[in-house]
């Protein structure tokens, strides 16, 4: 392997500094990294084009044409290499090889996907067996499980997402009655396509189930999960996630919310650290037994491979396994391993085997983190230490800062938020989670023995509970997470800065580091003051899954209308920088409108609760009435003032129990100040029968929040003509079993000429009053 001339530099001592201040050596990048970059870029382009062809956005033959064009580009690079210098020739040849391999693999992957789509589309759901291949995900309205579709003779037809009301056991085959739906152009369905799914099965009923043939890995996983009992407590759910890679139960707890808000979810995902600890444990045992180097390497690689299969073969784990496997193989042949070479080779192997892995967020985060940690971690630690920080602190800070540097351009466009406390959270919770992982790999297998289970789980419960406690405490800090624009120009700039730093490898003055830290502190202080006292007038329909949650704000005043179905509403408030609520309106007692309120009350002060007249008696017991200064009943004609907003109640027009969709409290939020105006109708779950009754009290509006998540009965042409909305918004969750928003509703809105938005596709949808118009901002842009 030939190394670049500029990569042969050795440490440089900063002027006036002692030997202990020697600048770290710039890490070496192998030349075949250009092949890796070419392969990844080609896979990203071709799989995206394949997706667009799958959903008929572009002609079916266009991917083949593009493959030919890109292959021709690779050929042109190889021809150009003949006339270039030796160094450039090597780079161009390797880039062309990466392109050729990617085109071939994408062609095979695309052909398989098309064939699977055809096979699945031409069978009856009830005539096939569903084979669960991943842990289920429990949503607000259904349970989703990725399954292989098998014929009776066992042949695999394709992979689908199955939505049902019960949890599938991975040890059994299922036969269901249901309907088959093709993938559409939503971002959720694009994610499924990249996971290998070709359709969605809405299962109405399970007809039968039968046991699968015995599988040793599956049996061991079942024994360990039974011993852990992840559904028994949040701590056990966390242990199951860390050791076994099962997060089904953890996702239903507040611990998951706390880890998400503090930027700690990467500590739960099976990653390179898991495999490193396994390798260390097995290596130590084999070394004690006197095994030779090659034997140890082979055994360690085999056990790590089994563990990756055991935890579900996530792309990030596969990358880690391949990378560690490359290092083990290198040691086995008595060569010095090179981490960056192993990373490049593992990325190439993974994407060559499955080109769609290039779009897997876990793989992207894992690869980017490892790349940046190997390139810049020692450099960042040295810079921080030169500014006066102790060595131990600088090492911990550098790992967290470098990982965030690598991953922010990837996570912000997806999640629309940045965790401010993640640095402190990683410093506090990181060591606890490391101890939990190391201890769990030893004690969880011991806990399979019933007599030892109680003793073995005591230290694990202690570590898990401590991790959850500190994550929860840090997540309650005001402005722990701030909302960020996924399309912000500074995001790709972070990677350009990385290129500049690697090229120049500069010595940053101590004063420069101190000034940068002070600037960050001032910027954060200004951010806090702005979102506490100077929030511009806005109404935000927040993305909380299959539920409703809308925040009305101006200055320091805020009103929440509905609280979603679970902790997602709290996460939405946090990412929108809400730290206090003047009031909460619960439109009615369907859980997808109040379910997130208990979690909100634990973290955010709420002064008043507003309910429809007569609905107080049906308040769920999960809501603590003592949490509010006042509970106010509303009727038609009442109003609520929030800053310069006036929220007029137009429904219900008589006392209600609050238990039916038609009992929903409906508000017209009006803003008219400083030459800007906005009128927005918030309909709860009311539909046409109720909407026709109160439409005469509304007049023309600017924005319509569609009733009942955009159901087929939520709107019609006559209603739209009566209220004339410029914008119509539906709040719904990905893959919901109700089919919200219905195509009938979407077509009706678009045919009228109103702009249609849905939280499924656009995330949080913020409406601001503007002069003569309304301004729409979305956390995700299609």
């Amino acid at each position: 392997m030939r190394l670049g001339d500029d990569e042969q530099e050795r440490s440089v001592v900063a002027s006036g500094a002692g030997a202990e201040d020697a600048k770290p050596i710039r890490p070496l990048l192998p030349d075949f990294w250009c092949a890796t970059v070419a392969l990844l870029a080609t896979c990203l382009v071709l799989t995206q084009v394949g997706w667009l062809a799958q959903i008929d956005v572009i002609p079916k033959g266009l991917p083949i044409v593009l493959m030919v064009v890109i292959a021709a580009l690779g050929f042109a690079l190889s021809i150009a290499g003949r006339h270039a210098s030796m160094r450039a020739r090597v780079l161009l040849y390797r880039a062309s090889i990466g392109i050729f391999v990617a085109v071939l693999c994408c062609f095979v992957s695309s052909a398989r996907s098309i064939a699977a789509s055809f096979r699945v589309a031409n069978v009856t759901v009830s005539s096939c067996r569903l084979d669960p291949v991943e842990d289920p995900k429990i949503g607000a309205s259904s349970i989703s499980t990725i399954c292989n579709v098998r014929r009776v003779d066992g042949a695999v037809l394709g992979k689908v997402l199955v939505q049902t009301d019960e949890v599938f056991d991975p040890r059994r085959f299922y036969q269901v009655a249901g309907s088959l739906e093709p993938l559409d152009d939503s971002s959720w369905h694009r994610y499924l396509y990249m996971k290998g799914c070709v359709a969605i099965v809405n299962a109405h009923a399970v007809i039968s189930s039968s046991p699968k043939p015995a599988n040793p890995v599956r049996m061991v996983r079942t024994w360990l999960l039974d011993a852990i009992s992840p559904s028994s407590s949040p701590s056990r759910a966390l242990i199951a996630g860390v050791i076994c890679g099962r997060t089904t139960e953890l996702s239903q707890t507040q611990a998951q919310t706390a880890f998400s808000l503090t930027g700690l979810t990467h500590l739960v995902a099976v990653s390179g650290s898991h495999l490193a600890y396994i390798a260390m444990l097995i290596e130590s045992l084999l070394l004690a037994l006197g095994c030779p180097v090659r034997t140890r390497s082979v055994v360690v690689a085999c056990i790590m491979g089994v563990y990756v299969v055991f935890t579900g073969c996530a792309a990030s784990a596969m990358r880690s396994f391949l990378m560690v496997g490359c290092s083990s193989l290198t040691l086995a042949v008595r060569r010095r391993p090179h981490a960056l070479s192993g990373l490049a080779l593992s990325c190439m192997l993974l994407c060559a085997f499955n080109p769609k892995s290039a779009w897997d967020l876990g793989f992207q985060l894992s690869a980017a983190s490892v790349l940046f940690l190997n390139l810049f971690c020692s450099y960042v630690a040295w810079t921080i230490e030169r500014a006066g920080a102790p060595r131990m602190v600088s090492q911990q800070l550098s790992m967290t800062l470098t990982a965030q540097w690598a991953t922010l351009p990837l996570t912000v466009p997806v999640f629309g938020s940045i965790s401010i406390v993640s640095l402190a959270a990683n410093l506090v919770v990181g060591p606890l989670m490391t101890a939990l992982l190391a201890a769990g790999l030893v004690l969880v297998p011991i806990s399979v023995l019933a007599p030892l289970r109680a003793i073995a789980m005591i230290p694990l419960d202690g570590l898990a509970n401590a991790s959850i406690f500190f994550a929860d405490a840090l997540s309650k800090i005001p402005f722990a997470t701030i909302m960020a624009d996924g399309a912000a120009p500074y995001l790709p700039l972070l990677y350009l800065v990385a290129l500049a730093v690697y090229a120049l490898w500069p010595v940053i003055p101590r004063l420069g580091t101190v000034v940068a830290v002070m600037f960050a502190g001032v910027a954060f202080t200004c951010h806090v003051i702005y979102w506490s006292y100077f929030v511009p007038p806005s109404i935000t329909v927040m993305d909380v899954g299959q539920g409703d949650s809308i925040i009305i704000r101006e200055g320091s005043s805020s009103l929440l209308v509905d609280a979603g179905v679970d902790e997602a509403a709290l996460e939405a408030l946090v990412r929108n920088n809400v730290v206090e609520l003047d009031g909460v309106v619960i439109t009615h007692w369907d859980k997808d409108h109040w379910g997130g309120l208990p979690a909100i009350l634990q973290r955010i002060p709420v002064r008043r609760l507003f309910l429809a007249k007569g609905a107080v008696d049906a308040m769920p017991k999960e809501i603590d009435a003592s949490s509010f200064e006042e509970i106010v009943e509303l009727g038609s004609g009442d109003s609520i003032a929030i800053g310069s907003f006036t929220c007029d109640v137009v429904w219900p027009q008589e006392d209600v129990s609050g238990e039916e969709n038609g009992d929903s409290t409906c508000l017209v939020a009006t803003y008219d100040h400083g030459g800007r105006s906005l009128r927005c109708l918030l309909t709860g779950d009311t539909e046409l029968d109720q909407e026709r009754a109160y439409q005469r009290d509304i007049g023309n509006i600017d924005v319509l929040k569609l009733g009942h998540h955009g159901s087929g009965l939520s709107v019609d042409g006559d209603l739209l003509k009566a209220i004339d909305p410029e914008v119509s918004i539906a709040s719904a969750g990905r893959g919901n079993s109700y089919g919200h928003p219905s195509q009938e509703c979407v077509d009706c809105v678009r045919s009228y000429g109103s702009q249609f938005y849905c939280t499924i596709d656009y995330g949080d949808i913020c409406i601001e009053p503007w002069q003569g118009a309304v301004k729409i901002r979305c956390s995700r842009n299609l």
Side-chain angles (χ1 to χ4, degrees), residues 235-352:
S235 63
R236 295 296 179 90
L238 180 59
I239 295 169
V242 171
I243 304 302
C244 299
R246 180 182 172 94
T247 58
T248 301
E249 291 77 17
L250 183 63
S251 64
Q252 302 302 298
T253 67
Q254 282 190 270
Q256 174 66 28
T257 302
F259 273 71
S260 176
L261 295 175
T262 51
L264 295 173
T265 50
H266 67 282
L267 296 178
V268 181
V270 176
S271 61
S273 60
H274 290 67
L275 300 182
Y277 279 109
I278 290 175
M280 181 181 66
L281 290 172
I282 303 302
E283 185 84 18
S284 300
L285 177 61
L286 295 177
L287 187 61
L289 295 176
C291 293
V293 174
R294 294 183 180 180
T295 302
R296 293 202 306 267
S297 299
V298 172
V299 172
V300 167
C302 291
I303 292 177
M304 286 191 302
V306 171
Y307 184 73
V308 170
V309 174
F310 171 82
T311 54
C313 292
S316 57
M318 287 294 296
R319 193 277 314 156
S320 301
F321 165 65
L322 291 172
M323 186 174 174
V324 176
C326 290
S327 297
S328 299
L329 182 62
T330 303
L331 289 172
V333 297
R334 292 182 168 85
R335 296 289 300 274
R336 182 172 62 87
H338 185 239
L340 290 171
S341 299
L343 175 61
L345 184 58
S346 63
C347 290
M348 292 181 68
L349 291 174
L350 183 60
C351 290

Side-chain angles (χ1 to χ4, degrees), residues 401-418:
L401 289 173
T402 305
Q404 286 191 331
W405 185 6
T407 57
L408 277 179
L410 300 172
T411 57
V412 172
V414 176
F415 302 110
S417 61
I418 300 174

Side-chain angles (χ1 to χ4, degrees), residues 362-487:
F363 164 73
Q364 293 176 353
L365 296 176
S366 175
S369 297
V370 173
L371 175 62
F372 272 60
L373 286 171
N374 278 278
L375 288 178
F376 301 115
C377 190
S378 59
Y379 172 80
V380 173
W382 172 75
T383 301
I384 295 173
E385 192 172 342
R386 289 185 74 247
R391 181 177 296 273
M392 182 178 298
V393 174
S394 67
Q395 293 293 331
Q396 290 291 329
L397 283 175
S398 66
M399 293 180 64
T400 302
L401 289 173
T402 305
Q404 286 191 331
W405 185 6
T407 57
L408 277 179
L410 300 172
T411 57
V412 172
V414 176
F415 302 110
S417 61
I418 300 174
S419 176
I420 296 299
V421 300
S422 63
L423 185 61
N426 278 276
L427 290 174
V428 175
V429 181
L432 292 172
M433 293 290 287
T434 299
L436 176 62
L437 171 61
L441 290 173
V442 176
L443 296 177
V444 168
I446 295 175
S447 69
V448 174
L449 303 174
L452 301 177
R453 183 170 303 166
I455 297 175
M457 295 303 293
I458 288 175
L460 298 183
D461 280 330
L463 289 169
N465 281 318
S467 300
I468 293 171
F469 171 80
F470 285 112
D472 184 71
L474 289 167
S475 70
K476 293 179 178 178
I477 296 174
F479 298 98
T481 301
I482 61 174
M483 196 171 183
D485 183 3

Side-chain angles (χ1 to χ4, degrees), residues 472-678:
D472 184 71
L474 289 167
S475 70
K476 293 179 178 178
I477 296 174
F479 298 98
T481 301
I482 61 174
M483 196 171 183
D485 183 3
Y490 69 83
L491 293 174
L493 184 63
L494 291 175
Y495 287 154
L496 293 178
V497 170
L499 287 174
V501 169
Y502 183 78
L504 301 174
W505 213 242
V507 176
I508 300 177
R510 294 178 175 86
L511 181 60
T513 306
V514 174
V515 169
V517 172
M518 292 178 62
F519 177 80
V522 171
F524 178 69
T525 301
C526 293
H527 175 87
V528 171
I529 294 173
Y530 174 81
W531 287 105
S532 296
Y533 301 103
F534 301 102
V535 181
S538 63
I539 299 175
T540 303
V541 181
M542 298 186 293
D543 180 15
V544 294
Q546 185 59 22
D548 270 11
S549 193
I550 302 155
I551 185 73
I552 304 172
R553 312 176 70 182
E554 185 185 28
S556 60
S557 301
S558 57
L559 175 71
L560 181 69
V561 181
D562 285 329
V565 69
D566 53 24
E567 290 84 0
L570 173 63
E571 294 183 33
L573 289 173
V574 171
R575 69 172 175 261
N576 282 281
N577 307 302
V578 178
V579 294
E580 185 176 7
L581 289 167
D582 292 302
V584 173
V585 176
I586 299 297
T587 58
H588 65 299
W589 295 125
D590 275 0
K591 192 169 183 180
D592 57 338
H593 291 255
W594 69 266
L597 186 55
I600 292 172
L601 293 175
Q602 290 182 7
R603 299 170 183 268
I604 296 178
V606 179
R607 294 179 57 195
R608 292 186 294 272
L609 176 64
F610 296 96
L611 305 171
K613 287 183 179 178
V616 176
D617 294 338
M619 182 187 297
K621 63 181 183 301
E622 291 89 345
I623 299 176
D624 183 6
S626 64
S627 301
F628 310 100
E629 296 178 9
E630 183 181 9
I631 296 179
V632 181
E633 293 186 285
L634 299 172
S636 180
D638 292 336
S639 64
I640 307 170
I642 298 295
S644 297
F645 280 99
T646 300
C647 299
D648 297 312
V649 180
V650 295
W651 188 266
Q653 298 175 350
E654 57 185 20
D655 290 4
V656 294
S657 66
E659 298 179 313
E660 303 293 335
N661 288 342
D663 296 344
S664 296
T665 299
C666 300
L667 305 171
V668 175
T670 303
Y671 182 91
D672 190 359
H673 184 74
R676 295 182 293 173
S677 63
L678 172 66

Side-chain angles (χ1 to χ4, degrees), residues 695 698-701 717-725 752:
Q695 73 179 45
I698 298 172
N700 288 354
I701 62 170
D718 291 337
L719 177 68
L720 292 173
K721 290 178 183 177
I723 60 178
D724 191 28
Y752 177 74

Side-chain angles (χ1 to χ4, degrees), residues 688-761:
L688 283 171
D689 288 344
Q690 297 81 38
E691 291 165 351
R692 289 193 181 102
Y694 62 71
Q695 73 179 45
R696 62 180 179 273
D697 300 324
I698 298 172
N700 288 354
I701 62 170
D702 300 304
V703 179
L704 167 65
K705 201 290 293 180
L706 291 160
H708 201 192
H709 316 288
S711 72
L713 296 175
S714 64
V715 73
D716 66 6
D718 291 337
L719 177 68
L720 292 173
K721 290 178 183 177
I723 60 178
D724 191 28
E726 296 177 18
V727 177
S728 298
I729 300 173
S731 178
R734 291 190 184 97
N736 69 85
S737 60
Y738 308 104
H740 294 157
S742 72
Q743 194 61 45
E744 180 183 356
C745 170
V746 176
D747 292 342
C748 181
V749 168
R750 286 176 173 165
S751 64
Y752 177 74
S754 180
Q755 299 179 53
F756 176 77
Y757 293 83
C758 182
T759 56
I760 292 175
D761 300 314

